[in-house]
């Protein structure tokens, strides 16, 4: 099947934002600009990534399909869970124990991706599936037991975006690609960014992560927690739609990166863990050279997108190189 540059462009931009978001994570308290960019990114970068993943998903119809999913998602998860645990323990002396059931850092996405594909069996109704998935997510917020174990909290939080993507068809994206929508997308995203700059707070990021229940997110009564989460969904949905409206439709210099996003996603944490434990952040704070926070993710992605490195990535995660 011929690749559509629109989706590769979207995935390429999103993987840059993923790495940028992780780069900024430990600097958000430095100033309002960093916090604004960070919150702005988290409003749509994972929802959009997950929606696109849902668009290309297919229902599991046989044992062969299930085994294919296991090989593509669960086996790489286990491998990288082991590798990252050893990496943190042996290289950086972090006091962490090995566990399969609680994902290390960004590896939650693989567990959730597997679960989303399984959940398609239950939420397969176009008429009620999306509404039901949102209702389930709103209710689960009241149960603190649904947490980062097997990434269940994030799985249910982001599942509506995956399901929406699964139900979308080519004509829907043709509508999104219209030039008039791009103008609206830029305008709305600009307004959202300005709103976050003036009103954004550190506590917002936990709402965007989707990993905590209302009891941990709110002070006092949690009776209205579902309203707050519903508001988060509405803003995330609007930001995601606007992002998809502004994605370039034609081949660009970064389009090819969209075909190797899984490899970049899994390997970029090796680089960032080193950066976290180096002098770099202290130097940035002391010197005020905050532009380096943009250079870091671009450099990481540049390295991980070189063909010799991509070959190694593909071997380790069991994928064929795109041609």
């Amino acid at each position: 099947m011929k690749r559509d540059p629109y989706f590769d462009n979207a995935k390429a931009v999103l993987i840059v934002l993923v790495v940028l978001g992780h780069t900024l994570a430990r600097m958000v308290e430095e100033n309002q600009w960093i916090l604004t960019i960070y919150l702005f990114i988290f409003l749509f970068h994972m929802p959009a990534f997950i929606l696109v993943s849902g668009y290309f998903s297919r229902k599991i119809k046989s044992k062969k399909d299930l085994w294919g999913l296991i090989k593509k998602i669960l086996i790489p998860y286990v491998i990288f869970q082991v590798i990252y645990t050893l990496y943190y323990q042996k290289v950086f002396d972090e006091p962490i124990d090995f566990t399969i059931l609680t994902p290390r850092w960004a590896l939650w996405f693989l567990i959730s991706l597997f679960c989303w594909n399984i959940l398609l069996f239950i939420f397969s109704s176009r008429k009620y599936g999306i509404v039901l998935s949102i209702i389930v997510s709103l209710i689960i917020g009241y149960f603190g037991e649904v947490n980062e174990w097997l990434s269940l909290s994030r799985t249910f939080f982001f599942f509506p975006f995956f399901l929406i993507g699964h139900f979308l068809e080519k004509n829907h994206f043709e509508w999104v690609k219209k030039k008039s929508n791009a103008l609206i997308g830029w305008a709305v995203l600009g307004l959202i960014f300005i709103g976050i700059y003036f009103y954004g707070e550190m506590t917002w990021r936990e709402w965007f992560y989707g990993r905590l229940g209302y009891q941990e997110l709110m002070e006092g009564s949690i009776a209205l927690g579902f309203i707050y989460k519903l508001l988060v969904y509405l803003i995330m949905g609007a930001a995601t739609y606007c992002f998809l409206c502004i994605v370039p439709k034609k081949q660009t210099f970064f389009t090819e990166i969209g075909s190797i996003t899984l490899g970049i996603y899994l390997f970029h944490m090796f680089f960032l863990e080193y950066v976290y434990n180096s002098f770099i952040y202290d130097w940035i704070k002391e010197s005020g050279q905050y532009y380096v926070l943009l250079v870091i993710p671009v450099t990481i992605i540049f390295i991980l997108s070189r063909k010799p490195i991509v070959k190694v990535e593909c071997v380790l995660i069991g994928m064929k190189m795109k041609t």
Side-chain angles (χ1 to χ4, degrees):
M1 183 183 296
K2 185 179 179 181
R3 300 186 68 89
D4 185 339
Y6 170 81
F7 291 107
D8 277 342
N9 288 337
K11 291 165 66 179
V13 173
L14 289 170
I15 198 62
V16 172
L17 295 181
V18 167
V19 182
L20 174 60
H22 290 158
T23 303
L24 298 178
R26 300 195 182 186
M27 296 285 283
V28 291
E29 297 182 2
E30 283 303 298
N31 60 55
Q32 189 63 22
W33 278 109
I34 294 177
L35 177 61
T36 300
I37 295 170
Y38 184 81
L39 293 177
F40 180 72
I41 288 172
F42 271 80
L43 256 184
F44 65 87
H45 79 323
M46 287 314 298
F49 226 132
I50 292 163
L51 185 145
V52 172
S53 298
Y55 177 70
F56 288 103
S57 67
R58 297 293 180 266
K59 286 184 183 179
I60 299 172
K61 297 180 180 179
S62 65
K63 291 182 180 179
K64 183 179 179 181
D65 291 341
L66 179 60
W67 176 239
L69 206 61
I70 291 172
K71 288 196 297 183
K72 182 180 178 181
I73 300 175
L74 286 190
I75 292 178
Y77 164 74
V78 173
I79 292 172
F80 278 85
Q81 184 80 343
V82 172
I83 291 174
Y84 274 115
T85 300
L86 293 175
Y87 184 56
Y88 296 159
Q89 287 177 343
K90 305 303 181 182
V91 179
F92 302 105
D93 294 321
E94 293 191 19
I96 57 177
D97 298 321
F98 174 73
T99 173
I100 288 292
L101 302 181
T102 302
R104 297 283 175 222
W105 202 13
L107 293 179
W108 69 266
F109 179 75
L110 292 183
I111 287 290
S112 292
L113 183 58
F114 181 81
C115 293
W116 293 327
N117 280 275
I118 300 299
L119 286 171
L120 290 179
F121 276 116
I122 304 172
F123 297 85
S124 58
S125 169
R126 285 178 179 268
K127 191 172 183 181
Y128 303 110
I130 295 172
V131 173
L132 181 59
S133 69
I134 293 174
I135 292 174
V136 169
S137 176
L138 297 178
I139 294 174
I140 281 178
Y142 291 100
F143 298 92
E145 296 81 5
V146 182
N147 49 38
E148 293 189 78
W149 184 79
L150 283 178
S151 189
L152 288 178
S153 54
R154 280 172 160 149
T155 294
F156 286 105
F157 179 76
F158 287 111
F159 181 58
F161 294 101
F162 185 85
L163 193 59
I164 289 171
H166 179 73
F167 288 151
L168 289 177
E169 298 176 356
K170 185 177 180 180
N171 61 297
H172 295 129
F173 281 99
E174 292 304 320
W175 163 261
V176 169
K177 294 177 185 177
K178 287 186 176 180
K179 199 169 185 179
S180 57
N181 284 334
L183 296 175
I184 295 172
W186 281 112
V188 174
L189 287 176
L191 291 173
I192 291 175
F193 186 89
I194 292 170
I196 293 175
Y197 180 81
F198 286 105
Y199 302 104
E201 298 178 4
M202 193 77 65
T203 54
W204 288 16
R205 63 179 179 174
E206 287 297 342
W207 284 96
F208 299 164
Y209 290 165
R211 65 182 179 181
L212 300 178
Y214 303 140
Q215 192 70 53
E216 297 172 275
L217 289 169
M218 304 173 66
E219 296 181 0
S221 174
I222 62 173
L224 299 180
F226 76 97
I227 294 180
Y228 287 94
K229 183 183 275 191
L230 191 58
L231 181 61
V232 170
Y233 272 144
L234 290 173
I235 299 174
M236 277 185 161
T240 299
Y241 174 79
C242 289
F243 167 76
L244 293 173
C245 287
I246 67 173
V247 172
K249 297 182 282 293
K250 298 181 180 180
Q251 195 83 11
T252 67
F253 69 92
F254 56 80
T255 301
E256 191 174 341
I257 294 174
S259 66
I260 55 172
T261 52
L262 180 58
I264 293 173
Y265 187 86
L266 291 175
F267 283 89
H268 82 277
M269 296 179 285
F270 283 106
F271 293 86
L272 279 182
E273 186 64 19
Y274 176 81
V275 172
Y276 289 161
N277 288 275
S278 71
F279 67 93
I280 295 176
Y281 280 113
D282 288 335
W283 175 79
I284 292 173
K285 292 176 184 178
E286 293 171 3
S287 64
Q289 306 295 320
Y290 293 109
Y291 70 88
V292 176
L293 294 172
L294 299 178
V295 174
I296 292 171
V298 172
T299 302
I300 290 173
I301 290 175
F302 177 79
I303 294 171
L304 291 176
S305 61
R306 299 306 89 197
K307 285 190 176 181
I309 304 297
V310 172
K311 287 182 180 179
V312 175
E313 295 169 8
C314 289
V315 170
L316 289 176
I317 62 180
M319 292 181 63
K320 294 181 180 179
M321 284 192 67
K322 306 297 182 182
T323 57

